[in-house]
Amino acid sequence: MARLLLRDLAQVATPAADGPVARGAELRAVAVVEDAYVLCDGESVRGVGRMRDLPAVDGDVEELDCSGLCAVPGLVDCHTHPAFGGDRVVEFSLRAGGASYEELHAAGGGILSTVVATRALSGGELEARVRRHAGWMLAHGMTTWEGKSGYGLDRETELASLRAIRAAGGLPTWLGAHSVPPEQPDADAYLDFLLAEVLPEAAALADAADVFLERGAFDAARARRYLEACRGAGLALRLHGDQFTESGAIPLALELGARSVDHLEATGDAGVRALGGSAVAAVLLPSSALFLDRPMPPARALADAGAVLALATDFNPGSSFTTSLPLVASLACTQLHLAPEEALVAMTLNAAHVLGATGAGRIAPGSRADITLLDAPDWRYLAYHLAGDVVSAVVRSGAIAFRR
Ligand code: NIG
Ligand code: FE
């Protein structure tokens, strides 16, 4: 099997927690090895240590001189919407002039305008779009990513979205309950259609299901109906919750044993306490709050309450047109008041946990050989170099997948 030796690294930084997830004090525990090597063997890490302790490696080994670079685990984006046609640049301009995201949505713009553009694509064209977006993600250091459907809202386009995400290397989540499309009489009729006509095949293509639980989208009773049916079909559960209003997403997530509740910009003290003591992850999306000029989620309070925090881009054309987890790391430190250590753990180990991506999210013997190399003397440049070209190269499954 092919071996790859990353040598003379300035630092290797990895979550220190031994378990599958980090919370409380472990959320800020990052182990750093200076003047280091990482040896990859096939798709796994074989060893990590100081250069002076590098054992003799004989046989066929590709060596990469990593002087001046730092290694962190391949970044994990656990929340993206990459399967879409068109763009929302006109809407972006209108918002710059003062129009609100919710008003545009209510007027049939927003998500539904992307639905029209996505339905117009062939399956091949949609896959090409997702592959293009996956290339952007890789260049920002992501080696594992989740992608949601939700811009088809009909059988053919929802299933094509899930297939395109898998084909492009992502982990598909079925977001059938994103919005009610115009051809459906109401939300209940749309759910009847989704569960009878789309769920059986979506369950075979996706890993998880997600719902937009919000004023103007799906209420808690309808979200429960959708999620219970999806759970019954074997899917893990996610929720878009508390983005604009607290509408019952956290209690529902806890009750159903969801993997995560995502957004949480509107979450108050009771929600913070509930997530602090639960296994449901809080996925924070600060680039979305920034892009929409909305309040930031209560990240510090969630971390201090012991919540399982993850960070993601929410990449989509309307509310977060970015694929940069390094930018999200910067926002986590400057806007969410998290430490760089907390930001790193939240977008590696904890994000991998949200996706059930075992072995991803750390650099340790036996972990996946997924490594992001930073052009920096200190790994914290990941967050410090605001919008910088900090990613120098990416190793995925033990092979160099990207080089700047
Ligand atoms: O996570 N909030 C709902 N869905 C997406 C945005 C979708 C869109 O605006 O196209 C989100 O922000
Ligand atoms: Fe989202």
Side-chain angles (χ1 to χ4, degrees), residues 79 81 148 240 263 285 314:
H79 183 139
H81 304 250
K148 302 173 196 296
H240 279 69
H263 274 291
L285 312 164
D314 195 21

Side-chain angles (χ1 to χ4, degrees), residues 2 60 163 328:
D60 212 12
R163 286 193 194 96
V328 170

Side-chain angles (χ1 to χ4, degrees), residues 7-10 64-69:
R7 57 177 304 141
D8 294 303
L9 285 153
L64 192 65
D65 174 10
C66 295
S67 317
L69 307 181

Side-chain angles (χ1 to χ4, degrees), residues 79-81 148 151 175 178 210 240 243 262-263 285 288 314-316 319:
H79 183 139
T80 86
H81 304 250
K148 302 173 196 296
Y151 292 119
L175 179 55
H178 196 193
D210 197 344
H240 279 69
Q243 183 180 9
D262 306 38
H263 274 291
L285 312 164
S288 167
D314 195 21
F315 169 62
N316 76 77
S319 72

Side-chain angles (χ1 to χ4, degrees), residues 24 59 65 81 116-117 127 138 158 168 177 181 197 222 276 287 294 299 308 310 330 354 383:
D65 174 10
H81 304 250
V116 173
E127 186 178 319
L138 181 66
E158 282 298 304
E197 307 290 332
R222 294 188 176 97
S287 54
R294 299 282 309 164
V308 176
S330 290
V354 168

